[in-house]
Structure formats: structure tokens, C-alpha cells
Amino acid sequence: GDDSRFGDELGRDMAHGGFGIWARGVLALIKDNHCEGHFGVSPYAFFVHPNFVEDKPVPDVPGTPAILVGKSRYEIWKVNGGNVTQLQSYGGFVGNTAVATFQSGISLSYFSVNDNDEVGSIIEGAHIQALGSSGRGISTTHSRLFTLNDVTIEGMVEGNTITGIWCGSCNNCTLKTPNTNLIFENIFVDRDGECDFTP
């Protein structure tokens, strides 16, 4: 499957492949970072497959909400009353920027939502500047809902073939991206991929 590169390690790998910040979960606050240079895959990536580190307890490190310490993914799900944990539930993805070459500026894989969720995980204040002539600003896989607030995807090379938002397999769903102030600048196409789109 599309997670075969990581699956053999059961989530114990070291984020190899060419990433700036690579997260296996949605609990951390990733805020005000800047990635610059060449990334073989992506400056920012979330690969939150439900089978990864599902039994690993959250460590007691500075900044961790006390309610999470020592709990597994399943125990956190119970604390949330059976609701899916989103990026903004305990952490967030806020104010991050990139000036780089990459396959995808922000890669988002395996994000779940409840049936009645109209927000999903929130990407806030991101500015992705693509120095290459191809690539994707945001790429999603097996995910169907993100809210994009104050997000800019900008192509820096004239005549590029960059896609703003690409949707990989989302199991015959519609990728929804409600937003405030979503800006595409100097790119080839705003949205493309294997899914239907609802802006």
C-alpha cells in the first residue's frame, strides 16, 4: 500500500525520505517554523496512520497537556468522548512557512473526521513558496476535510506546473476545504487530483 515505506517499522522510523518537520500524530503544537532549502518530499508532513504507535503512551515532556500524559491514542479518544482528535484539539499547525523545492509543501495523510464534522483539522497562517517548477502546495491522502485559514500557496517560477491543492485517494469522497483567505498566486491549477472538491 501507499504506507509500505513506513509500515515495516510500525512507526518507529526516523522520518527518512526528505522532510523538514514530519509528524506521526496530531497532538503537538507546530508553530512559527520556517523551512528553507530542498526537501526530497515535503517541508511539513503529517502521516497519522491509525496503526502507528497506537499503544505508545504520550510522554511527560514540557508543554504536554496534563490530560494527555501517559495515555495511548485509544485512551485519548475516550477522553474526547469518542470524537476524533484534530490538529487544534491539543496543539495545532499555525504560522508555518516554507521557501523551498519539494514534491508537496504540506503533506497530510490519514486524517479522520466524525460524520458530522464540518471543520476537520485546521491549517492556519501557512505561506508556502515553491522555488521549483513543479510540485503541490498541499497534498492530501486518505483524508476528506481540512479548514484552511490565511493560507497562501505561491509559485516563484514563471511558467510552472504547480498544483495548489492535490487530493490523492480519499476513498470516493469529496475533499472539502472550507477557508478564510485562501490565496493561490502564480500557480498552474488551484485544485486537482483523484477526488471531487468542495472549496
Side-chain angles (χ1 to χ4, degrees), residues 29 57 68 121 139 141 175 180-181 199:
L29 175 61
L68 300 179
S121 281
S139 182
T141 305
L175 177 65
T180 58
N181 200 32

Side-chain angles (χ1 to χ4, degrees), residues 80-84 86 112-120 144-145 176 178:
N80 286 337
N83 292 311
V84 174
Q86 302 296 352
S112 299
V113 293
N114 294 322
D115 290 340
N116 61 348
D117 194 339
E118 297 181 356
V119 176
R144 69 172 182 84
L145 176 64
K176 298 179 181 179

Side-chain angles (χ1 to χ4, degrees), residues 34 97-102 127-132 152-156:
H34 180 69
T97 61
V99 179
T101 58
F102 45 73
H127 191 163
I128 305 300
Q129 294 175 291
L131 297 179
T152 299
I153 307 298
E154 181 179 3
M156 305 302 288

Side-chain angles (χ1 to χ4, degrees), residues 165-167 174-177 191-199:
I165 301 173
W166 170 272
C167 178
T174 297
L175 177 65
K176 298 179 181 179
T177 55
R191 303 167 192 270
D192 202 359
E194 303 168 359
C195 316
D196 294 328
F197 281 92
T198 300

Side-chain angles (χ1 to χ4, degrees), residues 60-102:
D60 186 5
V61 297
T64 303
I67 195 171
L68 300 179
V69 173
K71 291 185 173 63
S72 67
R73 181 186 300 231
Y74 175 70
E75 290 169 325
I76 293 169
W77 177 78
K78 289 195 299 184
V79 167
N80 286 337
N83 292 311
V84 174
T85 305
Q86 302 296 352
L87 283 174
Q88 66 277 7
S89 298
Y90 298 102
F93 189 84
V94 181
N96 298 295
T97 61
V99 179
T101 58
F102 45 73

Side-chain angles (χ1 to χ4, degrees), residues 3-196:
D3 62 340
S4 60
R5 189 156 59 108
F6 305 102
D8 291 343
E9 291 294 321
L10 300 176
R12 296 185 299 268
D13 55 278
M14 295 295 292
H16 50 68
F19 304 92
I21 295 176
W22 188 79
R24 293 180 292 187
V26 297
L27 301 178
L29 175 61
I30 299 174
K31 183 178 181 182
D32 295 337
N33 296 282
H34 180 69
C35 291
E36 190 165 329
H38 170 71
F39 298 90
V41 180
S42 184
Y44 301 101
F46 289 86
F47 195 89
V48 296
H49 193 287
N51 292 334
F52 272 23
V53 293
E54 62 181 351
D55 297 323
K56 185 175 178 62
V58 174
D60 186 5
V61 297
T64 303
I67 195 171
L68 300 179
V69 173
K71 291 185 173 63
S72 67
R73 181 186 300 231
Y74 175 70
E75 290 169 325
I76 293 169
W77 177 78
K78 289 195 299 184
V79 167
N80 286 337
N83 292 311
V84 174
T85 305
Q86 302 296 352
L87 283 174
Q88 66 277 7
S89 298
Y90 298 102
F93 189 84
V94 181
N96 298 295
T97 61
V99 179
T101 58
F102 45 73
Q103 293 179 33
S104 301
I106 304 173
S107 298
L108 304 166
S109 300
Y110 290 99
F111 279 79
S112 299
V113 293
N114 294 322
D115 290 340
N116 61 348
D117 194 339
E118 297 181 356
V119 176
S121 281
I122 299 173
I123 306 297
E124 185 170 351
H127 191 163
I128 305 300
Q129 294 175 291
L131 297 179
S133 60
S134 64
R136 302 162 178 169
I138 296 174
S139 182
T140 71
T141 305
H142 298 300
S143 308
R144 69 172 182 84
L145 176 64
F146 296 95
T147 293
L148 309 175
N149 292 337
D150 296 319
V151 172
T152 299
I153 307 298
E154 181 179 3
M156 305 302 288
V157 175
E158 295 301 322
N160 66 68
T161 60
I162 293 166
T163 299
I165 301 173
W166 170 272
C167 178
S169 172
C170 82
N171 308 321
N172 299 313
C173 75
T174 297
L175 177 65
K176 298 179 181 179
T177 55
N179 62 81
T180 58
N181 200 32
L182 170 61
I183 298 172
F184 299 113
E185 291 186 6
N186 190 35
I187 62 173
F188 182 69
V189 62
D190 292 352
R191 303 167 192 270
D192 202 359
E194 303 168 359
C195 316
D196 294 328

